[in-house]
Amino acid sequence: MKIKDLDYQTFLYYSDNNYNEIPQEKGIYYWVYYPDIDPKLSGDKFVEDLKKYSEVSLSLPEYFSDQKFHGMINEIWFDHTDENSVFGLSRKRSAQLIEYLNLSEHNRKNFVDFFKNLCFSRPFYVGMTENLKTRLSSHLAGTGSDILTNIESLNIKKNNIWISYSIFPEEFDSKLIKIHEEIYQRFVKPGLTKKFG
């Protein structure tokens, strides 16, 4: 399926079968967690779904060790200690957001537009390849990486995973692809992508 406001092809990983249309070209692919919450839901149900989204931390811990120390670092996602909080906001700001969302479907639609752009601006997994179809097929078969295992361990609804891709210029060789991949990963820091050393 094409999403008009994105400049690349996007499809639902589990519910669409159009991943067979992925081209056999060089490119970058992005995995995104986007629950596509319906603004027609009641305000309470809408907020409940937002809270469920914010409970999933899409970040692998990083480990370090030397002769004296070893440790683990994990990205802070949203604070869940206050059940009245949305996205880790203070109680006051959460209440203001909830009040705004409860006022109308129009307000929820505005928030969904913001939320969609936010989700798609921070993919949790990114890769670059010389053949999009081959690489994504191996991921989808569970042989290309641990990504499916990681997704399943987080109990994410399968129809909330989106995969997008864009095609590289023909002149990109494998070295340029690796360079662009490292720059992208260092800049965006996708949480479930293994980092370059």
Side-chain angles (χ1 to χ4, degrees), residues 88-121:
L89 296 171
S90 68
R91 278 187 178 217
K92 181 179 179 182
R93 289 194 172 172
S94 291
Q96 290 169 339
L97 175 61
I98 291 168
E99 180 182 0
Y100 169 78
L101 295 173
N102 279 326
L103 282 176
S104 69
E105 181 182 325
H106 174 76
N107 290 359
R108 292 188 292 277
K109 169 74 171 86
N110 286 338
F111 188 84
V112 164
D113 292 342
F114 160 80
F115 182 60
K116 178 179 180 181
N117 287 329
L118 188 63
C119 290
F120 278 88
S121 70

PDB file of all heavy atoms in Angstrom, residues 88-121:
ATOM      1  N   GLY A  88       4.756   9.488  29.682  1.00  0.00           N
ATOM      2  CA  GLY A  88       5.682   9.964  30.704  1.00  0.00           C
ATOM      3  C   GLY A  88       5.542  11.437  31.044  1.00  0.00           C
ATOM      4  O   GLY A  88       6.388  12.005  31.726  1.00  0.00           O
ATOM      5  N   LEU A  89       4.475  12.067  30.577  1.00  0.00           N
ATOM      6  CA  LEU A  89       4.243  13.478  30.886  1.00  0.00           C
ATOM      7  C   LEU A  89       3.884  13.643  32.364  1.00  0.00           C
ATOM      8  O   LEU A  89       3.431  12.705  33.017  1.00  0.00           O
ATOM      9  CB  LEU A  89       3.100  14.030  30.030  1.00  0.00           C
ATOM     10  CG  LEU A  89       3.316  14.070  28.518  1.00  0.00           C
ATOM     11  CD1 LEU A  89       2.006  14.423  27.809  1.00  0.00           C
ATOM     12  CD2 LEU A  89       4.400  15.073  28.157  1.00  0.00           C
ATOM     13  N   SER A  90       4.046  14.842  32.875  1.00  0.00           N
ATOM     14  CA  SER A  90       3.606  15.136  34.245  1.00  0.00           C
ATOM     15  C   SER A  90       2.091  14.941  34.316  1.00  0.00           C
ATOM     16  O   SER A  90       1.401  14.939  33.293  1.00  0.00           O
ATOM     17  CB  SER A  90       3.971  16.573  34.621  1.00  0.00           C
ATOM     18  OG  SER A  90       3.197  17.488  33.850  1.00  0.00           O
ATOM     19  N   ARG A  91       1.580  14.820  35.532  1.00  0.00           N
ATOM     20  CA  ARG A  91       0.119  14.656  35.696  1.00  0.00           C
ATOM     21  C   ARG A  91      -0.643  15.821  35.077  1.00  0.00           C
ATOM     22  O   ARG A  91      -1.674  15.636  34.440  1.00  0.00           O
ATOM     23  CB  ARG A  91      -0.244  14.543  37.173  1.00  0.00           C
ATOM     24  CG  ARG A  91      -0.048  13.170  37.721  1.00  0.00           C
ATOM     25  CD  ARG A  91      -0.587  13.067  39.124  1.00  0.00           C
ATOM     26  NE  ARG A  91      -0.411  11.696  39.567  1.00  0.00           N
ATOM     27  CZ  ARG A  91      -1.276  11.065  40.325  1.00  0.00           C
ATOM     28  NH1 ARG A  91      -2.357  11.674  40.748  1.00  0.00           N
ATOM     29  NH2 ARG A  91      -1.058   9.823  40.680  1.00  0.00           N
ATOM     30  N   LYS A  92      -0.126  17.030  35.281  1.00  0.00           N
ATOM     31  CA  LYS A  92      -0.807  18.223  34.755  1.00  0.00           C
ATOM     32  C   LYS A  92      -0.859  18.181  33.227  1.00  0.00           C
ATOM     33  O   LYS A  92      -1.924  18.394  32.630  1.00  0.00           O
ATOM     34  CB  LYS A  92      -0.078  19.483  35.233  1.00  0.00           C
ATOM     35  CG  LYS A  92      -0.717  20.769  34.756  1.00  0.00           C
ATOM     36  CD  LYS A  92       0.034  21.979  35.274  1.00  0.00           C
ATOM     37  CE  LYS A  92      -0.598  23.270  34.757  1.00  0.00           C
ATOM     38  NZ  LYS A  92       0.116  24.461  35.193  1.00  0.00           N
ATOM     39  N   ARG A  93       0.275  17.918  32.603  1.00  0.00           N
ATOM     40  CA  ARG A  93       0.297  17.890  31.131  1.00  0.00           C
ATOM     41  C   ARG A  93      -0.480  16.699  30.579  1.00  0.00           C
ATOM     42  O   ARG A  93      -1.131  16.810  29.545  1.00  0.00           O
ATOM     43  CB  ARG A  93       1.729  17.889  30.627  1.00  0.00           C
ATOM     44  CG  ARG A  93       2.387  19.232  30.847  1.00  0.00           C
ATOM     45  CD  ARG A  93       3.650  19.386  30.092  1.00  0.00           C
ATOM     46  NE  ARG A  93       4.109  20.764  30.219  1.00  0.00           N
ATOM     47  CZ  ARG A  93       5.270  21.182  29.803  1.00  0.00           C
ATOM     48  NH1 ARG A  93       6.109  20.357  29.224  1.00  0.00           N
ATOM     49  NH2 ARG A  93       5.614  22.440  29.953  1.00  0.00           N
ATOM     50  N   SER A  94      -0.417  15.571  31.265  1.00  0.00           N
ATOM     51  CA  SER A  94      -1.220  14.416  30.845  1.00  0.00           C
ATOM     52  C   SER A  94      -2.701  14.752  30.885  1.00  0.00           C
ATOM     53  O   SER A  94      -3.446  14.435  29.951  1.00  0.00           O
ATOM     54  CB  SER A  94      -0.923  13.211  31.741  1.00  0.00           C
ATOM     55  OG  SER A  94       0.368  12.720  31.533  1.00  0.00           O
ATOM     56  N   ALA A  95      -3.133  15.399  31.967  1.00  0.00           N
ATOM     57  CA  ALA A  95      -4.547  15.789  32.104  1.00  0.00           C
ATOM     58  C   ALA A  95      -4.948  16.745  30.990  1.00  0.00           C
ATOM     59  O   ALA A  95      -6.055  16.638  30.431  1.00  0.00           O
ATOM     60  CB  ALA A  95      -4.796  16.409  33.476  1.00  0.00           C
ATOM     61  N   GLN A  96      -4.064  17.682  30.653  1.00  0.00           N
ATOM     62  CA  GLN A  96      -4.368  18.634  29.578  1.00  0.00           C
ATOM     63  C   GLN A  96      -4.489  17.912  28.228  1.00  0.00           C
ATOM     64  O   GLN A  96      -5.398  18.201  27.444  1.00  0.00           O
ATOM     65  CB  GLN A  96      -3.282  19.708  29.509  1.00  0.00           C
ATOM     66  CG  GLN A  96      -3.304  20.658  30.685  1.00  0.00           C
ATOM     67  CD  GLN A  96      -2.069  21.545  30.750  1.00  0.00           C
ATOM     68  OE1 GLN A  96      -1.021  21.236  30.181  1.00  0.00           O
ATOM     69  NE2 GLN A  96      -2.186  22.665  31.461  1.00  0.00           N
ATOM     70  N   LEU A  97      -3.586  16.970  27.976  1.00  0.00           N
ATOM     71  CA  LEU A  97      -3.659  16.209  26.722  1.00  0.00           C
ATOM     72  C   LEU A  97      -4.926  15.370  26.682  1.00  0.00           C
ATOM     73  O   LEU A  97      -5.646  15.359  25.674  1.00  0.00           O
ATOM     74  CB  LEU A  97      -2.420  15.321  26.559  1.00  0.00           C
ATOM     75  CG  LEU A  97      -2.428  14.395  25.340  1.00  0.00           C
ATOM     76  CD1 LEU A  97      -2.492  15.194  24.036  1.00  0.00           C
ATOM     77  CD2 LEU A  97      -1.204  13.489  25.344  1.00  0.00           C
ATOM     78  N   ILE A  98      -5.226  14.688  27.765  1.00  0.00           N
ATOM     79  CA  ILE A  98      -6.426  13.836  27.811  1.00  0.00           C
ATOM     80  C   ILE A  98      -7.684  14.677  27.623  1.00  0.00           C
ATOM     81  O   ILE A  98      -8.602  14.290  26.886  1.00  0.00           O
ATOM     82  CB  ILE A  98      -6.467  13.033  29.131  1.00  0.00           C
ATOM     83  CG1 ILE A  98      -5.341  11.986  29.123  1.00  0.00           C
ATOM     84  CG2 ILE A  98      -7.824  12.381  29.346  1.00  0.00           C
ATOM     85  CD1 ILE A  98      -5.089  11.320  30.467  1.00  0.00           C
ATOM     86  N   GLU A  99      -7.730  15.840  28.245  1.00  0.00           N
ATOM     87  CA  GLU A  99      -8.885  16.736  28.072  1.00  0.00           C
ATOM     88  C   GLU A  99      -9.038  17.124  26.603  1.00  0.00           C
ATOM     89  O   GLU A  99     -10.140  17.096  26.053  1.00  0.00           O
ATOM     90  CB  GLU A  99      -8.709  17.980  28.944  1.00  0.00           C
ATOM     91  CG  GLU A  99      -9.857  18.971  28.828  1.00  0.00           C
ATOM     92  CD  GLU A  99      -9.639  20.224  29.670  1.00  0.00           C
ATOM     93  OE1 GLU A  99      -8.603  20.331  30.350  1.00  0.00           O
ATOM     94  OE2 GLU A  99     -10.518  21.105  29.612  1.00  0.00           O
ATOM     95  N   TYR A 100      -7.939  17.470  25.958  1.00  0.00           N
ATOM     96  CA  TYR A 100      -7.959  17.837  24.536  1.00  0.00           C
ATOM     97  C   TYR A 100      -8.451  16.665  23.687  1.00  0.00           C
ATOM     98  O   TYR A 100      -9.306  16.838  22.810  1.00  0.00           O
ATOM     99  CB  TYR A 100      -6.554  18.265  24.110  1.00  0.00           C
ATOM    100  CG  TYR A 100      -6.367  18.422  22.621  1.00  0.00           C
ATOM    101  CD1 TYR A 100      -6.836  19.557  21.958  1.00  0.00           C
ATOM    102  CD2 TYR A 100      -5.729  17.442  21.872  1.00  0.00           C
ATOM    103  CE1 TYR A 100      -6.672  19.710  20.587  1.00  0.00           C
ATOM    104  CE2 TYR A 100      -5.552  17.586  20.504  1.00  0.00           C
ATOM    105  CZ  TYR A 100      -6.024  18.712  19.864  1.00  0.00           C
ATOM    106  OH  TYR A 100      -5.863  18.847  18.514  1.00  0.00           O
ATOM    107  N   LEU A 101      -7.957  15.466  23.955  1.00  0.00           N
ATOM    108  CA  LEU A 101      -8.343  14.292  23.165  1.00  0.00           C
ATOM    109  C   LEU A 101      -9.790  13.905  23.395  1.00  0.00           C
ATOM    110  O   LEU A 101     -10.453  13.405  22.483  1.00  0.00           O
ATOM    111  CB  LEU A 101      -7.418  13.113  23.498  1.00  0.00           C
ATOM    112  CG  LEU A 101      -5.944  13.292  23.121  1.00  0.00           C
ATOM    113  CD1 LEU A 101      -5.104  12.140  23.647  1.00  0.00           C
ATOM    114  CD2 LEU A 101      -5.775  13.431  21.606  1.00  0.00           C
ATOM    115  N   ASN A 102     -10.296  14.132  24.596  1.00  0.00           N
ATOM    116  CA  ASN A 102     -11.678  13.779  24.912  1.00  0.00           C
ATOM    117  C   ASN A 102     -12.692  14.742  24.303  1.00  0.00           C
ATOM    118  O   ASN A 102     -13.865  14.405  24.183  1.00  0.00           O
ATOM    119  CB  ASN A 102     -11.887  13.718  26.429  1.00  0.00           C
ATOM    120  CG  ASN A 102     -11.422  12.402  27.012  1.00  0.00           C
ATOM    121  OD1 ASN A 102     -11.533  11.356  26.384  1.00  0.00           O
ATOM    122  ND2 ASN A 102     -10.880  12.459  28.213  1.00  0.00           N
ATOM    123  N   LEU A 103     -12.250  15.931  23.905  1.00  0.00           N
ATOM    124  CA  LEU A 103     -13.187  16.936  23.405  1.00  0.00           C
ATOM    125  C   LEU A 103     -13.857  16.535  22.093  1.00  0.00           C
ATOM    126  O   LEU A 103     -15.049  16.772  21.917  1.00  0.00           O
ATOM    127  CB  LEU A 103     -12.481  18.283  23.229  1.00  0.00           C
ATOM    128  CG  LEU A 103     -12.246  19.075  24.499  1.00  0.00           C
ATOM    129  CD1 LEU A 103     -11.457  20.344  24.193  1.00  0.00           C
ATOM    130  CD2 LEU A 103     -13.570  19.426  25.182  1.00  0.00           C
ATOM    131  N   SER A 104     -13.074  15.951  21.163  1.00  0.00           N
ATOM    132  CA  SER A 104     -13.686  15.659  19.865  1.00  0.00           C
ATOM    133  C   SER A 104     -12.851  14.676  19.052  1.00  0.00           C
ATOM    134  O   SER A 104     -11.640  14.518  19.265  1.00  0.00           O
ATOM    135  CB  SER A 104     -13.851  16.951  19.051  1.00  0.00           C
ATOM    136  OG  SER A 104     -12.576  17.439  18.656  1.00  0.00           O
ATOM    137  N   GLU A 105     -13.532  14.062  18.107  1.00  0.00           N
ATOM    138  CA  GLU A 105     -12.848  13.195  17.143  1.00  0.00           C
ATOM    139  C   GLU A 105     -11.860  14.007  16.307  1.00  0.00           C
ATOM    140  O   GLU A 105     -10.784  13.530  15.939  1.00  0.00           O
ATOM    141  CB  GLU A 105     -13.881  12.528  16.235  1.00  0.00           C
ATOM    142  CG  GLU A 105     -13.287  11.580  15.218  1.00  0.00           C
ATOM    143  CD  GLU A 105     -14.329  10.968  14.314  1.00  0.00           C
ATOM    144  OE1 GLU A 105     -15.463  10.691  14.774  1.00  0.00           O
ATOM    145  OE2 GLU A 105     -14.002  10.746  13.126  1.00  0.00           O
ATOM    146  N   HIS A 106     -12.217  15.258  16.003  1.00  0.00           N
ATOM    147  CA  HIS A 106     -11.327  16.151  15.260  1.00  0.00           C
ATOM    148  C   HIS A 106      -9.988  16.309  15.985  1.00  0.00           C
ATOM    149  O   HIS A 106      -8.920  16.239  15.362  1.00  0.00           O
ATOM    150  CB  HIS A 106     -11.993  17.515  15.069  1.00  0.00           C
ATOM    151  CG  HIS A 106     -11.101  18.542  14.450  1.00  0.00           C
ATOM    152  ND1 HIS A 106     -10.801  18.556  13.099  1.00  0.00           N
ATOM    153  CD2 HIS A 106     -10.422  19.572  15.009  1.00  0.00           C
ATOM    154  CE1 HIS A 106      -9.967  19.561  12.857  1.00  0.00           C
ATOM    155  NE2 HIS A 106      -9.730  20.198  13.994  1.00  0.00           N
ATOM    156  N   ASN A 107     -10.034  16.517  17.301  1.00  0.00           N
ATOM    157  CA  ASN A 107      -8.803  16.651  18.081  1.00  0.00           C
ATOM    158  C   ASN A 107      -7.989  15.361  18.060  1.00  0.00           C
ATOM    159  O   ASN A 107      -6.765  15.389  17.951  1.00  0.00           O
ATOM    160  CB  ASN A 107      -9.116  17.029  19.530  1.00  0.00           C
ATOM    161  CG  ASN A 107      -9.636  18.440  19.650  1.00  0.00           C
ATOM    162  OD1 ASN A 107      -9.748  19.170  18.661  1.00  0.00           O
ATOM    163  ND2 ASN A 107      -9.976  18.839  20.862  1.00  0.00           N
ATOM    164  N   ARG A 108      -8.683  14.221  18.168  1.00  0.00           N
ATOM    165  CA  ARG A 108      -7.975  12.931  18.121  1.00  0.00           C
ATOM    166  C   ARG A 108      -7.350  12.714  16.752  1.00  0.00           C
ATOM    167  O   ARG A 108      -6.237  12.208  16.634  1.00  0.00           O
ATOM    168  CB  ARG A 108      -8.923  11.793  18.516  1.00  0.00           C
ATOM    169  CG  ARG A 108      -9.324  11.855  19.983  1.00  0.00           C
ATOM    170  CD  ARG A 108     -10.095  10.636  20.445  1.00  0.00           C
ATOM    171  NE  ARG A 108     -11.421  10.518  19.858  1.00  0.00           N
ATOM    172  CZ  ARG A 108     -12.507  11.140  20.314  1.00  0.00           C
ATOM    173  NH1 ARG A 108     -12.421  11.942  21.371  1.00  0.00           N
ATOM    174  NH2 ARG A 108     -13.675  10.954  19.739  1.00  0.00           N
ATOM    175  N   LYS A 109      -8.038  13.148  15.698  1.00  0.00           N
ATOM    176  CA  LYS A 109      -7.487  13.033  14.338  1.00  0.00           C
ATOM    177  C   LYS A 109      -6.225  13.888  14.210  1.00  0.00           C
ATOM    178  O   LYS A 109      -5.211  13.447  13.642  1.00  0.00           O
ATOM    179  CB  LYS A 109      -8.536  13.471  13.318  1.00  0.00           C
ATOM    180  CG  LYS A 109      -8.043  13.653  11.900  1.00  0.00           C
ATOM    181  CD  LYS A 109      -7.788  12.328  11.207  1.00  0.00           C
ATOM    182  CE  LYS A 109      -7.495  12.483   9.734  1.00  0.00           C
ATOM    183  NZ  LYS A 109      -6.114  12.751   9.393  1.00  0.00           N
ATOM    184  N   ASN A 110      -6.253  15.107  14.728  1.00  0.00           N
ATOM    185  CA  ASN A 110      -5.061  15.959  14.707  1.00  0.00           C
ATOM    186  C   ASN A 110      -3.898  15.297  15.427  1.00  0.00           C
ATOM    187  O   ASN A 110      -2.750  15.336  14.972  1.00  0.00           O
ATOM    188  CB  ASN A 110      -5.347  17.329  15.340  1.00  0.00           C
ATOM    189  CG  ASN A 110      -6.186  18.206  14.448  1.00  0.00           C
ATOM    190  OD1 ASN A 110      -6.244  18.008  13.234  1.00  0.00           O
ATOM    191  ND2 ASN A 110      -6.850  19.173  15.042  1.00  0.00           N
ATOM    192  N   PHE A 111      -4.199  14.677  16.576  1.00  0.00           N
ATOM    193  CA  PHE A 111      -3.135  14.014  17.325  1.00  0.00           C
ATOM    194  C   PHE A 111      -2.603  12.811  16.564  1.00  0.00           C
ATOM    195  O   PHE A 111      -1.397  12.550  16.549  1.00  0.00           O
ATOM    196  CB  PHE A 111      -3.610  13.598  18.724  1.00  0.00           C
ATOM    197  CG  PHE A 111      -2.484  13.088  19.568  1.00  0.00           C
ATOM    198  CD1 PHE A 111      -1.674  13.971  20.271  1.00  0.00           C
ATOM    199  CD2 PHE A 111      -2.201  11.739  19.634  1.00  0.00           C
ATOM    200  CE1 PHE A 111      -0.604  13.518  21.027  1.00  0.00           C
ATOM    201  CE2 PHE A 111      -1.135  11.270  20.394  1.00  0.00           C
ATOM    202  CZ  PHE A 111      -0.337  12.165  21.092  1.00  0.00           C
ATOM    203  N   VAL A 112      -3.494  12.055  15.909  1.00  0.00           N
ATOM    204  CA  VAL A 112      -3.059  10.892  15.125  1.00  0.00           C
ATOM    205  C   VAL A 112      -2.098  11.322  14.013  1.00  0.00           C
ATOM    206  O   VAL A 112      -1.088  10.650  13.760  1.00  0.00           O
ATOM    207  CB  VAL A 112      -4.275  10.123  14.539  1.00  0.00           C
ATOM    208  CG1 VAL A 112      -3.863   9.179  13.421  1.00  0.00           C
ATOM    209  CG2 VAL A 112      -4.969   9.341  15.646  1.00  0.00           C
ATOM    210  N   ASP A 113      -2.383  12.436  13.355  1.00  0.00           N
ATOM    211  CA  ASP A 113      -1.479  12.935  12.315  1.00  0.00           C
ATOM    212  C   ASP A 113      -0.094  13.228  12.890  1.00  0.00           C
ATOM    213  O   ASP A 113       0.929  12.865  12.313  1.00  0.00           O
ATOM    214  CB  ASP A 113      -2.051  14.187  11.647  1.00  0.00           C
ATOM    215  CG  ASP A 113      -3.292  13.900  10.823  1.00  0.00           C
ATOM    216  OD1 ASP A 113      -3.526  12.719  10.476  1.00  0.00           O
ATOM    217  OD2 ASP A 113      -4.037  14.853  10.538  1.00  0.00           O
ATOM    218  N   PHE A 114      -0.064  13.891  14.040  1.00  0.00           N
ATOM    219  CA  PHE A 114       1.195  14.171  14.730  1.00  0.00           C
ATOM    220  C   PHE A 114       1.894  12.871  15.121  1.00  0.00           C
ATOM    221  O   PHE A 114       3.091  12.688  14.904  1.00  0.00           O
ATOM    222  CB  PHE A 114       0.903  15.033  15.965  1.00  0.00           C
ATOM    223  CG  PHE A 114       1.988  15.007  17.007  1.00  0.00           C
ATOM    224  CD1 PHE A 114       3.132  15.776  16.856  1.00  0.00           C
ATOM    225  CD2 PHE A 114       1.860  14.213  18.139  1.00  0.00           C
ATOM    226  CE1 PHE A 114       4.142  15.759  17.821  1.00  0.00           C
ATOM    227  CE2 PHE A 114       2.854  14.192  19.102  1.00  0.00           C
ATOM    228  CZ  PHE A 114       3.992  14.955  18.940  1.00  0.00           C
ATOM    229  N   PHE A 115       1.124  11.948  15.701  1.00  0.00           N
ATOM    230  CA  PHE A 115       1.650  10.687  16.214  1.00  0.00           C
ATOM    231  C   PHE A 115       2.226   9.822  15.092  1.00  0.00           C
ATOM    232  O   PHE A 115       3.298   9.232  15.220  1.00  0.00           O
ATOM    233  CB  PHE A 115       0.510   9.969  16.946  1.00  0.00           C
ATOM    234  CG  PHE A 115       0.880   8.667  17.578  1.00  0.00           C
ATOM    235  CD1 PHE A 115       1.861   8.600  18.552  1.00  0.00           C
ATOM    236  CD2 PHE A 115       0.217   7.506  17.226  1.00  0.00           C
ATOM    237  CE1 PHE A 115       2.186   7.394  19.155  1.00  0.00           C
ATOM    238  CE2 PHE A 115       0.529   6.300  17.822  1.00  0.00           C
ATOM    239  CZ  PHE A 115       1.510   6.245  18.791  1.00  0.00           C
ATOM    240  N   LYS A 116       1.537   9.795  13.959  1.00  0.00           N
ATOM    241  CA  LYS A 116       2.006   9.017  12.812  1.00  0.00           C
ATOM    242  C   LYS A 116       3.357   9.541  12.334  1.00  0.00           C
ATOM    243  O   LYS A 116       4.294   8.766  12.101  1.00  0.00           O
ATOM    244  CB  LYS A 116       0.985   9.099  11.677  1.00  0.00           C
ATOM    245  CG  LYS A 116       1.385   8.371  10.427  1.00  0.00           C
ATOM    246  CD  LYS A 116       0.290   8.514   9.384  1.00  0.00           C
ATOM    247  CE  LYS A 116       0.649   7.807   8.117  1.00  0.00           C
ATOM    248  NZ  LYS A 116      -0.395   7.964   7.106  1.00  0.00           N
ATOM    249  N   ASN A 117       3.473  10.852  12.181  1.00  0.00           N
ATOM    250  CA  ASN A 117       4.751  11.435  11.757  1.00  0.00           C
ATOM    251  C   ASN A 117       5.851  11.127  12.759  1.00  0.00           C
ATOM    252  O   ASN A 117       6.990  10.850  12.384  1.00  0.00           O
ATOM    253  CB  ASN A 117       4.617  12.947  11.553  1.00  0.00           C
ATOM    254  CG  ASN A 117       3.847  13.280  10.307  1.00  0.00           C
ATOM    255  OD1 ASN A 117       3.880  12.555   9.329  1.00  0.00           O
ATOM    256  ND2 ASN A 117       3.129  14.382  10.330  1.00  0.00           N
ATOM    257  N   LEU A 118       5.513  11.160  14.032  1.00  0.00           N
ATOM    258  CA  LEU A 118       6.471  10.857  15.085  1.00  0.00           C
ATOM    259  C   LEU A 118       6.949   9.405  14.990  1.00  0.00           C
ATOM    260  O   LEU A 118       8.155   9.132  15.026  1.00  0.00           O
ATOM    261  CB  LEU A 118       5.814  11.113  16.447  1.00  0.00           C
ATOM    262  CG  LEU A 118       6.667  11.033  17.679  1.00  0.00           C
ATOM    263  CD1 LEU A 118       7.757  12.095  17.651  1.00  0.00           C
ATOM    264  CD2 LEU A 118       5.796  11.214  18.919  1.00  0.00           C
ATOM    265  N   CYS A 119       6.012   8.483  14.855  1.00  0.00           N
ATOM    266  CA  CYS A 119       6.371   7.056  14.758  1.00  0.00           C
ATOM    267  C   CYS A 119       7.250   6.779  13.548  1.00  0.00           C
ATOM    268  O   CYS A 119       8.256   6.067  13.652  1.00  0.00           O
ATOM    269  CB  CYS A 119       5.111   6.199  14.681  1.00  0.00           C
ATOM    270  SG  CYS A 119       4.159   6.136  16.208  1.00  0.00           S
ATOM    271  N   PHE A 120       6.897   7.347  12.402  1.00  0.00           N
ATOM    272  CA  PHE A 120       7.648   7.059  11.187  1.00  0.00           C
ATOM    273  C   PHE A 120       8.977   7.806  11.130  1.00  0.00           C
ATOM    274  O   PHE A 120       9.839   7.471  10.334  1.00  0.00           O
ATOM    275  CB  PHE A 120       6.797   7.338   9.941  1.00  0.00           C
ATOM    276  CG  PHE A 120       5.882   6.210   9.605  1.00  0.00           C
ATOM    277  CD1 PHE A 120       4.618   6.142  10.166  1.00  0.00           C
ATOM    278  CD2 PHE A 120       6.283   5.196   8.755  1.00  0.00           C
ATOM    279  CE1 PHE A 120       3.769   5.088   9.880  1.00  0.00           C
ATOM    280  CE2 PHE A 120       5.439   4.131   8.460  1.00  0.00           C
ATOM    281  CZ  PHE A 120       4.180   4.075   9.023  1.00  0.00           C
ATOM    282  N   SER A 121       9.162   8.802  12.000  1.00  0.00           N
ATOM    283  CA  SER A 121      10.441   9.506  12.013  1.00  0.00           C
ATOM    284  C   SER A 121      11.492   8.761  12.831  1.00  0.00           C
ATOM    285  O   SER A 121      12.668   9.080  12.769  1.00  0.00           O
ATOM    286  CB  SER A 121      10.270  10.925  12.562  1.00  0.00           C
ATOM    287  OG  SER A 121       9.994  10.889  13.943  1.00  0.00           O
TER     288      SER A 121
END
